[in-house]
Amino acid sequence: MRKLSAVLTKSGAVLLGSTILCTSGTALAQQANTGNDDDIVVTASKREQNLQDVPMAISAIGNERLAELQVKEFQDVVKFLPSVTIQTAAPGFTQVYFRGVASGENANHSASLPTVGTYLDEMPVTTIQGALDIHTYDLARVEALAGPQGTLYGASSMAGTIKLVTNRPDTSGTYGEVGVEINNVAHGDFGGVAEGFLNAKLGDRAAARLVAWYRKDGGYIDNIAGSRTYPTSGITQNNTALVEKNYNNADTYGARLALGIELDDDWTIRPTIMGQIQKTNGSYAQERSGAVTKSLQTVQYNPESSKDKWLQAALTIEGKLGSWDLTVTGGHLRRKTDVQSDYSDYAYFYDALYGSGASFYDNNGDLVSPNQYILGIDRYKKSFVEARVASPADAPIRFIGGLFWQRQAHNIEQHYVVDDIADSIQVPGTVDNIWLTKQLRVDRDYAAFGELSFDITDKLTLTGGGRIYKFDNSLVGFFGYNNPGFSSNPVYACQGPAVVAGSPCTNLDKKTKDTDFIHKLNLTYKFTEDALIYATWSRGYRPGGINRRGSLPPYGSDTLDNYEVGWKTSWGPLRFNGAIYQEDWKNIQLSFLGLNGLSEIRNAGIARIRGVELDVGYRQDGFSINAGMSYNDAEIRRDFCRIANADFDCTTAGNSLLAPAGTGLPVTPKFKGNVVTRYEFPVGDLGGHVQFAVNHTGKRRSDLRTFENTLKGTLKSYTTVDFSVGVKADDWKAELFATNLFDSRGIINTGVQCLETTCGDPDGISSTGGVFYDTPIRPRLIGLKVSKEF
């Protein structure tokens, strides 16, 4: 097996003659203030390569730089990735987007898969709920691969891929580190972090690495007192028992154990097991300021919490078949999320609009409060195996290819509860359920892939790749109201006995599958060792799936074609990298809430994204400055109309225009950028530093559709400033820091519990009870952290 020329420090940073600190921007490798540039090793092409030699738009943030930028979770990473945007409702429930490829998906459990793939080392860990919110300690680096990565990474890497690469066990010695942090969030509580790792040498050819962490995040949203009277029954509800300051606190703890065993000079085995539990209380959204609430306040009438726990086990075997490298890797992930959600807004406005409160009565026939809440339990099982071979990296013709299999199952369980309702109106087999979703979703992927590179000359290289894939997806189970009370409605009518345990019967049993091919072509010209230019034509895809509404057919795959020209250059202490691209998104899986609040997905849209990513870095004599930015002009190219008889022709009677051609895609701003400056200097026998980071996110549409975007409002631009100052010795360091120094109130998500066309006034509480919720970024956080190596 080919050996890395790098070694690992005790802190896990990669060293190749200098400390390598990576940050954002196209192919950016941000170094410390001594040594060489351009030396970080990444595995974006599933080979170990110098970052500046990889002909694609890739950002990387290394181990030490993650700590310097105060990165603790996924949301913190994205701040420093200009081509990446996120939507999040709470920790553990985050959707990631590259280069504006977002249509406003509602991330429903039976809707489309994400457009971005997330990998933990070799294993894909993307689930329908989004990326795992892994505490980012003792990671070797985070790699962000912009643009379609379907050839090597497959399904759900349509728009890009994010790789979280952990530090491997090191046979060079036994060492470790412990660190603690205390912090306080503005307008809220204290929090802190305790974390550490131990690398243990078990022999000349074996080592183990044990990592553990605990993080307490203080709350900053207040649940204030409120009451409401339901119009039909006159029953008044209040939240006195739930009033609490700093309502939204969280605890995150986990561990990782990895072994590295070199069987001989050619073969290595690396088993890993990793798990995390994240518990949150309260809501991470503020009600839009109005007559009742102010900033960082909400009025919730039912308990809200989540518990996200997952366990991942993986095994990677690397070896030699002659001069070729063989990698066989596999893994299994289990994830369970328990969620309590307040759904009383929906209950109130539905009663106000339609008098639905008259439908909720007890066994004596007396009206009860229509107050509603959700108890959700989602269970995931994901398994994968990949086997690939790679020819020698120094040969003029190089090949990498292999086989891939993946199966992910999602056991969906959601109870919509109205307390004390009559047995006759609750879903059979449940307690007080007015609605039950109990389904099993299974997504299966099979693929054969390969890339072939040919050095036409010493400077010119042509690469071609392809992936033959097959998906086979199914959704079976029950969703609906009381049955047989609604058996006359074909949407909810039972089709047979229960297949999924815990359901009263089966009213949904669908499958869809397809086989297809995607490609990649790349031409790279290397002027010198420090300058190259490349052109790429690549395609990514996202598998099709099931519409749970019985009258709607399954939806098919959507694809993204990427046409990109990029460059990577180094000029002594100056680095300048960039990419210009156009992406054509076809057969977009557009999703929205239809009749009775059921998600509907159709392949209806065509969009075009034109953009540019730039990165500039300069480092000299202890001073460094790095700037990254992206500009994306993302818009639909065809009118989007309301469905009538499965017809998207806007000239058809009954099809109203939802968004005209030229409408910008939601979620992603046109401009996003960051600048990080750092100065390192001696302080006696110690090393000191001061650092500033500025991040800007432009304004964004909240929804693709014109009417809904007007109701929910356009998300305003915002800018944050981070600051840190610290000192370090050979084996310890201390740092004082502040993130969001000026306490910006940037909004990263917005929503409302209401029907599509009855949300009411976007400036506050509507006459029908619809309340708008905005999820703000974390307020100013000030902290002190110290760590000690041993």
Side-chain angles (χ1 to χ4, degrees):
M1 182 178 67
R2 183 164 61 91
K3 300 292 185 180
L4 268 173
S5 59
V7 297
L8 293 176
T9 66
K10 290 182 178 180
S11 63
V14 180
L15 285 180
L16 299 104
S18 64
T19 304
I20 304 303
L21 306 175
C22 317
T23 187
S24 63
T26 304
L28 170 60
Q30 183 176 348
Q31 280 73 35
N33 296 300
T34 59
N36 300 319
D37 288 341
D38 316 327
D39 282 336
I40 188 168
V41 173
V42 295
T43 55
S45 298
K46 298 201 173 182
R47 291 180 184 267
E48 295 163 350
Q49 289 180 279
N50 183 297
L51 180 63
Q52 287 290 96
D53 292 335
V54 182
M56 70 168 67
I58 171 176
S59 306
I61 307 179
N63 177 284
E64 291 188 21
R65 198 58 169 163
L66 289 167
E68 291 172 1
L69 295 172
Q70 318 308 328
V71 170
K72 298 181 179 68
E73 57 186 350
F74 216 91
Q75 189 175 158
D76 299 331
V77 177
V78 170
K79 284 199 325 183
F80 299 97
L81 301 175
S83 61
V84 184
T85 308
I86 66 167
Q87 271 190 318
T88 184
F93 301 92
T94 298
Q95 297 293 322
V96 185
Y97 305 99
F98 268 93
R99 292 181 172 177
V101 182
S103 62
E105 298 89 348
N106 57 31
N108 183 277
H109 46 72
S110 57
S112 303
L113 287 167
T115 61
V116 174
T118 307
Y119 275 68
L120 178 57
D121 291 323
E122 294 279 357
M123 181 173 179
V125 292
T126 311
T127 71
I128 191 63
Q129 295 290 160
L132 296 180
D133 199 3
I134 301 172
H135 181 68
T136 54
Y137 178 68
D138 197 49
L139 296 183
R141 62 191 176 276
V142 176
E143 299 178 18
L145 287 56
Q149 305 297 325
T151 304
L152 292 181
Y153 291 94
S156 289
S157 285
M158 181 177 75
T161 299
I162 293 181
K163 296 183 65 176
L164 308 175
V165 183
T166 62
N167 277 316
R168 296 181 180 181
D170 174 21
T171 59
S172 68
T174 296
Y175 55 85
E177 180 186 75
V178 292
V180 294
E181 172 185 316
I182 185 170
N183 58 57
N184 178 257
V185 62
H187 322 286
D189 273 342
F190 283 89
V193 180
E195 55 197 8
F197 78 87
L198 173 64
N199 188 96
K201 180 178 180 179
L202 304 179
D204 291 339
R205 292 185 176 272
R209 196 175 186 97
L210 177 62
V211 187
W213 59 88
Y214 170 77
R215 187 175 89 235
K216 173 74 173 181
D217 294 320
Y220 49 87
I221 301 287
D222 297 338
N223 191 26
I224 66 173
S227 66
R228 56 166 47 130
T229 299
Y230 290 94
T232 300
S233 62
I235 294 174
T236 298
Q237 177 186 28
N238 67 64
N239 69 340
T240 302
L242 299 174
V243 171
E244 182 181 351
K245 288 183 67 63
N246 309 324
Y247 185 49
N248 61 323
N249 56 76
D251 292 276
T252 304
Y253 49 94
R256 180 177 82 247
L257 176 62
L259 296 177
I261 304 171
E262 297 178 7
L263 301 179
D264 56 30
D265 291 340
D266 292 333
W267 290 89
T268 299
I269 298 176
R270 295 198 312 274
T272 303
I273 187 168
M274 182 175 182
Q276 180 176 281
I277 297 175
Q278 187 171 62
K279 299 178 181 179
T280 72
N281 296 300
S283 169
Y284 281 75
Q286 62 188 18
E287 292 189 17
R288 195 164 295 176
S289 298
V292 176
T293 59
K294 299 178 182 179
S295 178
L296 303 180
Q297 291 183 342
T298 188
V299 183
Q300 298 298 287
Y301 292 88
N302 293 289
E304 295 186 298
S305 66
S306 70
K307 182 178 181 181
D308 181 5
K309 61 180 182 180
W310 54 266
L311 183 67
Q312 181 243 13
L315 175 65
T316 299
I317 302 172
E318 294 179 328
K320 285 283 191 180
L321 296 176
S323 61
W324 287 50
D325 293 324
L326 170 67
T327 301
V328 179
T329 182
H332 184 73
L333 170 71
R334 293 202 175 197
R335 182 185 187 189
K336 180 183 178 184
T337 61
D338 293 88
V339 179
Q340 297 184 81
S341 304
D342 186 2
Y343 209 49
S344 61
D345 289 354
Y346 185 93
Y348 175 80
F349 83 74
Y350 216 98
D351 189 20
L353 287 170
Y354 303 115
S356 61
S359 302
F360 300 102
Y361 48 86
D362 60 20
N363 286 327
N364 295 322
D366 298 325
L367 292 180
V368 299
S369 172
N371 169 57
Q372 197 168 153
Y373 56 93
I374 305 171
L375 301 177
I377 305 174
D378 291 272
R379 300 174 178 87
Y380 305 88
K381 294 180 181 179
K382 186 164 189 169
S383 300
F384 98 106
V385 175
E386 179 176 296
R388 64 179 184 269
V389 294
S391 65
D394 55 358
I397 299 177
R398 298 173 298 281
F399 173 79
I400 183 169
L403 301 174
F404 175 86
W405 169 84
Q406 174 180 265
R407 184 184 189 275
Q408 48 184 332
H410 181 188
N411 191 316
I412 306 158
E413 182 175 338
Q414 292 189 335
H415 304 263
Y416 289 72
V417 180
V418 179
D419 289 332
D420 303 322
I421 57 174
D423 296 343
S424 60
I425 59 175
Q426 67 185 14
V427 177
T430 71
V431 178
D432 294 336
N433 273 212
I434 192 64
W435 175 283
L436 173 67
T437 299
K438 189 68 173 108
Q439 300 168 346
L440 179 63
R441 172 177 178 165
V442 180
D443 294 63
R444 308 165 186 86
D445 296 283
Y446 314 85
F449 63 91
E451 286 191 358
L452 184 66
S453 297
F454 171 55
D455 293 336
I456 300 172
T457 70
D458 291 342
K459 297 181 180 295
L460 184 65
T461 301
L462 175 66
T463 299
R467 190 180 188 96
I468 301 173
Y469 68 86
K470 176 183 178 180
F471 66 82
D472 186 355
N473 301 336
S474 61
L475 185 64
V476 61
F478 174 84
F479 69 106
Y481 300 101
N482 171 275
N483 195 292
F486 276 74
S487 61
S488 60
N489 188 328
V491 174
Y492 309 112
C494 284
Q495 302 167 3
V499 173
V500 179
S503 60
C505 64
T506 299
N507 61 5
L508 173 66
D509 190 355
K510 289 185 178 182
K511 296 182 179 181
T512 185
K513 60 183 179 180
D514 194 15
T515 301
D516 210 333
F517 172 82
I518 59 171
H519 65 271
K520 174 183 176 180
L521 287 173
N522 175 276
L523 191 64
T524 301
Y525 187 81
K526 198 160 189 177
F527 296 95
T528 69
E529 288 300 312
D530 297 321
L532 65 81
I533 187 172
Y534 67 87
T536 296
W537 174 28
S538 59
R539 174 173 292 178
Y541 77 100
R542 181 169 50 166
I546 304 300
N547 269 301
R548 62 175 174 165
R549 185 185 295 278
S551 59
L552 298 180
Y555 54 92
S557 300
D558 50 359
T559 60
L560 187 73
D561 282 301
N562 178 53
Y563 310 92
E564 178 175 333
V565 175
W567 62 93
K568 299 182 178 182
T569 62
S570 298
W571 310 88
L574 178 66
R575 181 184 55 259
F576 178 47
N577 303 317
I580 300 171
Y581 49 85
Q582 175 173 311
E583 297 185 332
D584 295 330
W585 190 5
K586 299 176 182 178
N587 296 318
I588 301 175
Q589 295 174 8
L590 287 170
S591 62
F592 57 90
L593 294 180
L595 188 66
N596 302 118
L598 295 182
S599 296
E600 300 181 359
I601 305 99
R602 299 295 184 90
N603 298 99
I606 296 176
R608 183 190 68 198
I609 301 100
R610 288 176 173 169
V612 58
E613 297 168 0
L614 296 175
D615 161 70
V616 179
Y618 176 83
R619 178 178 53 78
Q620 189 75 35
D621 299 328
F623 173 77
S624 66
I625 182 168
N626 295 272
M629 61 80 66
S630 68
Y631 178 85
N632 288 284
D633 183 10
E635 60 180 38
I636 60 171
R637 304 296 291 166
R638 177 187 295 170
D639 291 347
F640 175 40
C641 294
R642 185 176 299 278
I643 298 171
N645 299 319
D647 189 354
F648 280 89
D649 181 0
C650 290
T651 64
T652 302
N655 280 14
S656 58
L657 180 64
L658 296 180
T663 300
L665 295 179
V667 180
T668 299
K670 283 194 172 183
F671 178 82
K672 183 184 177 189
N674 67 75
V675 178
V676 180
T677 64
R678 184 179 178 89
Y679 181 57
E680 297 185 350
F681 50 90
V683 182
D685 294 333
L686 305 176
H689 80 266
V690 60
Q691 178 176 289
F692 283 91
V694 180
N695 294 272
H696 177 79
T697 300
K699 66 179 181 180
R700 296 132 288 145
R701 292 177 66 91
S702 60
D703 201 290
L704 174 64
R705 298 160 295 174
T706 303
F707 177 74
E708 282 74 11
N709 188 71
T710 301
L711 286 174
K712 292 191 289 184
T714 298
L715 303 181
K716 297 179 180 180
S717 62
Y718 63 91
T719 302
T720 63
V721 176
D722 300 343
F723 169 77
S724 65
V725 59
V727 294
K728 64 179 180 179
D730 290 338
D731 60 355
W732 65 268
K733 54 187 174 183
E735 186 175 47
L736 178 68
F737 68 89
T739 60
N740 193 7
L741 181 63
F742 298 109
D743 204 19
S744 170
R745 287 288 185 274
I747 302 300
I748 56 176
N749 199 10
T750 189
V752 61
Q753 291 178 14
C754 63
L755 298 177
E756 282 197 310
T757 57
T758 54
C759 292
D761 180 4
D763 294 324
I765 299 175
S766 74
S767 59
T768 60
V771 180
F772 292 81
Y773 294 91
D774 298 325
T775 304
I777 61 174
R778 190 184 305 275
R780 178 178 57 248
L781 185 78
I782 297 176
L784 174 66
K785 61 182 182 180
V786 296
S787 63
K788 179 72 167 63
E789 297 177 1
F790 59 87

